[in-house]
Amino acid sequence: MTAPVTSLNAITDATRAAVADNPAAAAVVFKASAEPESTVGSAITLGKYQVHVDEPPALGGQHTAPNPVEYYLASLLSCQVVTYRFWAERLGIQVDSLRASAEGDLDVRGFFGLDESVRPGFQQIRVTVNVSGPETAERYRELQEAVDAHCPVLDLTTGATPVHTQLIIGA
Protein backbone atom coordinates (compact mmCIF):
# COMPACT_ATOMS: atom_id res chain seq x y z
CA MET A 1 0.00 0.00 0.00
CA THR A 2 1.46 3.37 -0.95
CA ALA A 3 1.13 6.41 1.26
CA PRO A 4 -1.06 9.23 0.00
CA VAL A 5 0.83 12.00 -1.75
CA THR A 6 0.96 15.09 0.40
CA SER A 7 1.79 18.50 -0.98
CA LEU A 8 4.91 19.73 0.74
CA ASN A 9 3.63 23.27 0.28
CA ALA A 10 0.49 22.25 2.18
CA ILE A 11 2.69 21.16 5.10
CA THR A 12 4.50 24.51 5.01
CA ASP A 13 1.19 26.40 4.82
CA ALA A 14 -0.28 24.43 7.72
CA THR A 15 2.83 25.11 9.80
CA ARG A 16 2.74 28.81 8.93
CA ALA A 17 -0.90 28.99 10.06
CA ALA A 18 -0.20 27.03 13.25
CA VAL A 19 2.63 29.31 14.38
CA ALA A 20 1.38 32.67 13.07
CA ASP A 21 -0.29 33.71 16.33
CA ASN A 22 1.89 31.60 18.59
CA PRO A 23 5.57 31.39 17.55
CA ALA A 24 6.24 29.16 20.58
CA ALA A 25 4.23 26.46 18.80
CA ALA A 26 7.12 26.17 16.33
CA ALA A 27 9.48 24.81 18.99
CA VAL A 28 10.03 21.06 18.73
CA VAL A 29 12.18 18.96 21.04
CA PHE A 30 13.81 15.83 19.66
CA LYS A 31 15.23 13.30 22.10
CA ALA A 32 17.70 10.45 21.98
CA SER A 33 19.26 8.17 24.58
CA ALA A 34 22.23 5.82 24.43
CA GLU A 35 23.64 2.84 26.27
CA PRO A 36 26.96 1.07 25.72
CA GLU A 37 26.97 -2.04 23.57
CA SER A 38 29.94 -4.36 22.99
CA THR A 39 33.44 -2.87 23.26
CA VAL A 40 32.86 0.61 21.78
CA GLY A 41 29.35 0.40 20.33
CA SER A 42 26.12 2.00 21.43
CA ALA A 43 22.42 1.24 21.27
CA ILE A 44 20.64 4.51 20.53
CA THR A 45 16.94 4.98 21.16
CA LEU A 46 15.23 7.61 19.01
CA GLY A 47 11.58 7.66 20.00
CA LYS A 48 10.17 4.28 18.96
CA TYR A 49 13.28 3.44 16.90
CA GLN A 50 16.58 1.93 17.90
CA VAL A 51 19.78 2.19 15.92
CA HIS A 52 23.15 0.70 16.64
CA VAL A 53 26.54 2.33 16.37
CA ASP A 54 29.94 0.66 16.25
CA GLU A 55 33.46 1.44 15.12
CA PRO A 56 35.78 -0.33 12.72
CA PRO A 57 38.36 -2.71 14.24
CA ALA A 58 41.10 -0.05 13.99
CA LEU A 59 39.10 1.97 16.53
CA GLY A 60 38.27 -0.97 18.82
CA GLY A 61 34.97 -2.02 17.30
CA GLN A 62 33.69 -4.96 15.31
CA HIS A 63 32.18 -2.87 12.46
CA THR A 64 28.69 -4.27 13.11
CA ALA A 65 27.06 -0.89 12.41
CA PRO A 66 27.93 2.55 11.06
CA ASN A 67 30.12 4.71 13.28
CA PRO A 68 28.98 8.09 14.68
CA VAL A 69 30.50 10.20 11.90
CA GLU A 70 28.94 7.96 9.25
CA TYR A 71 25.58 8.57 10.93
CA TYR A 72 26.34 12.29 10.79
CA LEU A 73 26.92 12.04 7.03
CA ALA A 74 23.66 10.08 6.71
CA SER A 75 21.86 12.76 8.71
CA LEU A 76 23.32 15.52 6.56
CA LEU A 77 22.40 13.77 3.32
CA SER A 78 18.88 12.85 4.37
CA CYS A 79 18.31 16.42 5.53
CA GLN A 80 19.67 17.73 2.22
CA VAL A 81 17.31 15.46 0.27
CA VAL A 82 14.19 16.45 2.22
CA THR A 83 15.15 20.13 2.11
CA TYR A 84 15.69 19.95 -1.66
CA ARG A 85 12.26 18.38 -2.04
CA PHE A 86 10.48 20.97 0.14
CA TRP A 87 12.20 23.94 -1.48
CA ALA A 88 11.84 22.64 -5.04
CA GLU A 89 8.09 22.52 -4.53
CA ARG A 90 8.03 25.86 -2.74
CA LEU A 91 10.00 27.57 -5.53
CA GLY A 92 8.12 25.75 -8.29
CA ILE A 93 11.29 24.06 -9.55
CA GLN A 94 10.81 20.68 -11.20
CA VAL A 95 13.26 18.00 -10.07
CA ASP A 96 13.14 14.78 -12.08
CA SER A 97 15.97 13.07 -10.20
CA LEU A 98 17.96 13.85 -7.09
CA ARG A 99 20.94 12.07 -5.60
CA ALA A 100 23.35 13.24 -2.91
CA SER A 101 26.63 11.90 -1.60
CA ALA A 102 29.11 13.08 1.00
CA GLU A 103 32.56 12.33 2.25
CA GLY A 104 34.38 13.78 5.20
CA ASP A 105 38.03 14.00 6.16
CA LEU A 106 38.74 13.10 9.77
CA ASP A 107 42.15 13.07 11.45
CA VAL A 108 41.95 10.60 14.37
CA ARG A 109 44.80 12.36 16.20
CA GLY A 110 42.16 14.79 17.48
CA PHE A 111 39.94 12.03 18.89
CA PHE A 112 42.86 10.23 20.57
CA GLY A 113 44.34 13.46 21.96
CA LEU A 114 47.59 12.86 20.12
CA ASP A 115 47.72 16.41 18.77
CA GLU A 116 45.70 19.10 20.53
CA SER A 117 45.89 21.34 17.46
CA VAL A 118 43.80 18.82 15.47
CA ARG A 119 40.06 19.07 15.99
CA PRO A 120 38.35 15.74 16.78
CA GLY A 121 35.62 16.24 14.18
CA PHE A 122 35.70 16.44 10.42
CA GLN A 123 38.29 18.79 9.01
CA GLN A 124 36.25 19.08 5.82
CA ILE A 125 33.08 17.65 4.32
CA ARG A 126 32.30 17.50 0.63
CA VAL A 127 28.65 17.17 -0.43
CA THR A 128 27.75 16.47 -4.03
CA VAL A 129 24.17 16.87 -5.17
CA ASN A 130 23.14 15.60 -8.59
CA VAL A 131 19.89 17.08 -9.80
CA SER A 132 18.22 16.87 -13.17
CA GLY A 133 15.08 18.20 -14.77
CA PRO A 134 13.87 20.74 -17.29
CA GLU A 135 14.91 23.87 -15.38
CA THR A 136 17.83 26.15 -16.19
CA ALA A 137 21.11 25.85 -14.32
CA GLU A 138 20.30 29.22 -12.74
CA ARG A 139 17.05 27.84 -11.26
CA TYR A 140 18.87 24.83 -9.80
CA ARG A 141 21.49 27.16 -8.28
CA GLU A 142 18.60 29.15 -6.76
CA LEU A 143 17.33 25.88 -5.28
CA GLN A 144 20.77 25.04 -3.89
CA GLU A 145 21.00 28.46 -2.23
CA ALA A 146 17.60 27.94 -0.59
CA VAL A 147 18.62 24.48 0.62
CA ASP A 148 21.95 25.70 1.98
CA ALA A 149 20.12 28.48 3.83
CA HIS A 150 17.44 26.20 5.35
CA CYS A 151 18.88 22.70 5.88
CA PRO A 152 18.87 22.10 9.67
CA VAL A 153 21.67 19.52 9.72
CA LEU A 154 23.89 21.65 7.48
CA ASP A 155 23.26 24.51 9.91
CA LEU A 156 24.43 22.30 12.79
CA THR A 157 27.82 22.10 11.09
CA THR A 158 28.20 25.59 9.71
CA GLY A 159 26.77 27.47 12.69
CA ALA A 160 27.65 27.38 16.36
CA THR A 161 25.11 25.33 18.30
CA PRO A 162 25.34 25.60 22.08
CA VAL A 163 25.63 22.18 23.69
CA HIS A 164 25.37 21.88 27.45
CA THR A 165 26.50 18.63 29.03
CA GLN A 166 25.59 17.53 32.52
CA LEU A 167 27.29 14.76 34.45
CA ILE A 168 25.20 12.93 37.02
CA ILE A 169 27.22 10.68 39.31
CA GLY A 170 25.73 7.71 41.10
CA ALA A 171 22.39 7.74 39.37
Side-chain angles (χ1 to χ4, degrees), residues 18-102:
V19 302
D21 294 328
N22 181 12
V28 180
V29 176
F30 292 93
K31 296 181 182 182
S33 63
E35 294 188 14
E37 187 172 74
S38 67
T39 306
V40 295
S42 301
I44 310 295
T45 301
L46 307 163
K48 67 178 186 175
Y49 304 102
Q50 188 168 71
V51 298
H52 299 273
V53 179
D54 200 6
E55 294 284 356
L59 295 176
Q62 296 156 1
H63 215 315
T64 60
N67 71 22
V69 295
E70 290 169 321
Y71 272 113
Y72 166 78
L73 292 176
S75 294
L76 176 59
L77 290 176
S78 63
C79 195
Q80 285 275 295
V81 167
V82 71
T83 307
Y84 263 91
R85 294 172 81 185
F86 263 92
W87 279 90
E89 186 171 312
R90 186 162 181 188
L91 296 172
I93 297 174
Q94 184 176 331
V95 173
D96 292 341
S97 71
L98 175 66
R99 188 176 65 253
S101 61

Side-chain angles (χ1 to χ4, degrees), residues 94-169:
Q94 184 176 331
V95 173
D96 292 341
S97 71
L98 175 66
R99 188 176 65 253
S101 61
E103 56 185 21
D105 302 325
L106 191 128
D107 184 333
V108 297
R109 293 177 299 168
F111 171 74
F112 286 110
L114 302 176
D115 185 339
E116 293 302 319
S117 70
V118 175
R119 62 184 291 205
F122 284 124
Q123 281 72 46
Q124 182 181 99
I125 298 168
R126 290 170 299 286
V127 176
T128 302
V129 177
N130 296 85
V131 61
S132 67
E135 308 287 346
T136 64
E138 181 178 300
R139 289 287 281 157
Y140 290 121
R141 281 191 287 277
E142 177 186 356
L143 176 57
Q144 179 190 15
E145 288 174 11
V147 170
D148 287 350
H150 297 95
C151 178
V153 178
L154 180 61
D155 177 72
L156 290 173
T157 299
T158 59
T161 302
V163 176
H164 306 279
T165 61
Q166 176 184 14
L167 176 65
I168 299 172
I169 300 172

